[in-house]
Amino acid sequence: MGEAIKINEISTINKPKFKGKDFIQLSDFSTDEILYLLNEAIEMKKLQKQGKPHPYLSGKVLGMIFEKSSTRTRVSFEVGMLQLGGHAIFLSSKDIQLGRGESISDTAKVLSRYVDGLMIRTFSHDSVEELAEHATVPVINGLTDLQHPTQVLADLLTILEHKGKLSGLKMCYIGDGNNNMTHSLMEGAMKVGMDISIASPPGYLPNGNITEKAIKVGKQTGCALLITNDPLEAVKGADVIVTDVWTSMGQEDETEKRLKAFQGFQVNDELCKLAKEDFIFLHCLPAHRGEEVTAEVIDGSHSVVFDEAENRLHAQKAILKLLLAK
């Protein structure tokens, strides 16, 4: 809807001393570190819009391991590396020896001798952590069943652009609470000072360990976390409404069960009337219009889903610069 703007609350953040080499989950990062990455993403976006070269990663190579199919993750990382002056290599698990039984540890040790960084999009979160443990180059979590931190960094960037701030806002998530988006949204929102409410049907509540950690962070940042089975309660006064598909990759055999369980959890015009008048709507895409969200909402004036999709590129360039430009 508009170009990125400089936000006062993050423009004065100096570069923190990042302790880790990887980008696995947002809970690993401090509030200042997340705000610094958002500021870097804004600068990256400005440079691109102005047509100014920014080859921070000239000569660098990113290896990208995909066990799950992708549109936005693959294209944004490939384009991001190109715009940063580097190169990305697509590595399908079907095409490399990992898909034929080679261990993750051996794969990590070998690829670390070829590339400057690794991005992996997979099912098990343990696979990402094992890859990072044995790799000597930075590892980026492009998605697991448990976490989706690169997407949520882009979500925070989108909210920042449209609302001019993060702290003090209320985010509401409607849908499957026990999925990667919910978990990373909980971590990200609480870190940057946003209240978050989550409405999910019984049996689909967020991971208990992640919830406990988010509550601890909320006590430090002064944020509230609400988990409920009532979408009407969750959405009241929301500045930001978020949803995701009801059936994620790998859950296809549960489709019918989930369609029944999530009746009443659709984001539609009636539900949105309880939010702030100027709320914005986010969805990580792909979307199933008529299921988790109506066409009227996702294609309506409050929707910023395509700004959000574009911001995957800018947010990930900030991550890549941080990890690979050392």
Side-chain angles (χ1 to χ4, degrees):
M1 291 169 68
E3 290 192 11
I5 55 176
K6 194 78 172 181
I7 308 298
N8 288 335
E9 82 175 86
I10 67 171
S11 61
T12 58
I13 295 292
N14 295 318
K15 184 175 181 179
K17 293 182 179 179
F18 293 88
K19 296 178 181 179
K21 71 175 178 66
D22 308 307
F23 189 85
I24 306 298
Q25 52 209 6
L26 291 175
S27 60
D28 294 334
F29 293 83
S30 69
T31 296
D32 280 356
E33 288 170 341
I34 292 172
L35 295 179
Y36 175 82
L37 281 169
L38 291 172
N39 192 57
E40 283 283 280
I42 289 172
E43 293 304 310
M44 293 286 187
K45 191 168 185 176
K46 283 184 177 180
L47 290 171
Q48 188 206 19
K49 299 297 184 184
Q50 294 168 358
K52 295 181 179 179
H54 42 290
Y56 296 109
L57 301 183
S58 178
K60 300 285 187 178
V61 178
L62 177 72
M64 306 189 305
I65 302 172
F66 283 86
E67 291 189 311
K68 282 189 174 184
S69 58
S70 167
T71 298
R72 282 150 290 275
T73 299
R74 177 177 177 179
V75 176
S76 57
F77 269 108
E78 285 199 22
V79 172
M81 282 299 293
L82 179 64
Q83 292 179 354
L84 289 169
H87 183 71
I89 302 174
F90 175 78
L91 302 169
S92 167
S93 61
K94 297 177 182 178
D95 299 328
I96 60 176
Q97 298 300 329
L98 187 63
R100 298 182 63 239
E102 183 168 30
S103 68
I104 293 175
S105 60
D106 284 357
T107 299
K109 293 171 185 176
V110 170
L111 292 180
S112 293
R113 300 190 177 216
Y114 297 146
V115 300
D116 301 286
L118 290 166
M119 188 282 298
I120 181 169
R121 181 178 169 93
T122 187
F123 293 90
S124 171
H125 195 76
D126 290 341
S127 295
V128 177
E129 294 186 333
E130 185 177 356
L131 187 73
E133 179 184 353
H134 295 281
T136 57
V137 297
V139 171
I140 299 170
N141 176 8
L143 174 143
T144 67
D145 287 343
L146 189 68
Q147 298 274 3
H148 200 354
T150 56
Q151 174 66 57
V152 170
L153 191 67
D155 291 356
L156 295 176
L157 175 60
T158 307
I159 297 166
L160 192 56
E161 288 180 332
H162 286 276
K163 292 297 183 181
K165 65 176 185 176
L166 293 171
S167 60
L169 297 178
K170 176 182 176 179
M171 175 190 290
C172 170
Y173 177 89
I174 307 288
D176 185 0
N178 191 26
N179 84 345
N180 47 29
M181 280 302 300
T182 318
H183 297 148
S184 290
L185 284 168
M186 286 167 59
E187 292 185 348
M190 303 298 266
K191 284 279 188 177
V192 299
M194 296 177 66
D195 293 336
I196 181 168
S197 58
I198 297 164
S200 304
Y204 295 91
L205 299 181
N207 176 279
N209 290 332
I210 294 176
T211 300
E212 288 181 11
K213 290 179 182 178
I215 291 172
K216 289 181 180 179
V217 172
K219 289 180 179 179
Q220 297 171 355
T221 58
C223 300
L225 169 64
L226 170 68
I227 299 176
T228 177
N229 301 133
D230 184 0
L232 300 179
E233 179 186 16
V235 80
K236 287 180 182 177
D239 299 283
V240 183
I241 300 175
V242 191
T243 192
D244 193 7
V245 294
W246 291 341
T247 305
S248 298
M249 283 180 284
Q251 300 172 335
E252 288 79 7
D253 59 341
E254 301 177 20
T255 299
E256 291 303 317
K257 175 186 175 183
R258 285 172 171 268
L259 285 174
K260 293 179 181 179
F262 286 94
Q263 292 303 309
F265 288 82
Q266 182 188 73
V267 177
N268 52 41
D269 284 339
E270 282 301 308
L271 186 68
C272 292
K273 286 179 181 178
L274 296 173
K276 297 273 185 68
E277 288 186 9
D278 62 345
F279 81 91
I280 59 173
F281 173 75
L282 300 178
H283 191 307
C284 62
L285 302 178
H288 297 158
R289 289 167 174 80
E291 288 187 16
E292 74 273 6
V293 62
T294 61
E296 289 76 16
V297 171
I298 194 170
D299 299 319
S301 60
H302 294 273
S303 176
V304 294
V305 297
F306 296 110
D307 290 346
E308 177 188 8
E310 178 192 341
N311 281 338
R312 289 292 301 277
L313 171 64
H314 310 300
Q316 282 157 194
K317 284 166 69 176
I319 297 168
L320 290 166
K321 179 189 173 188
L322 171 73
L323 299 182
L324 273 61
K326 295 179 180 179

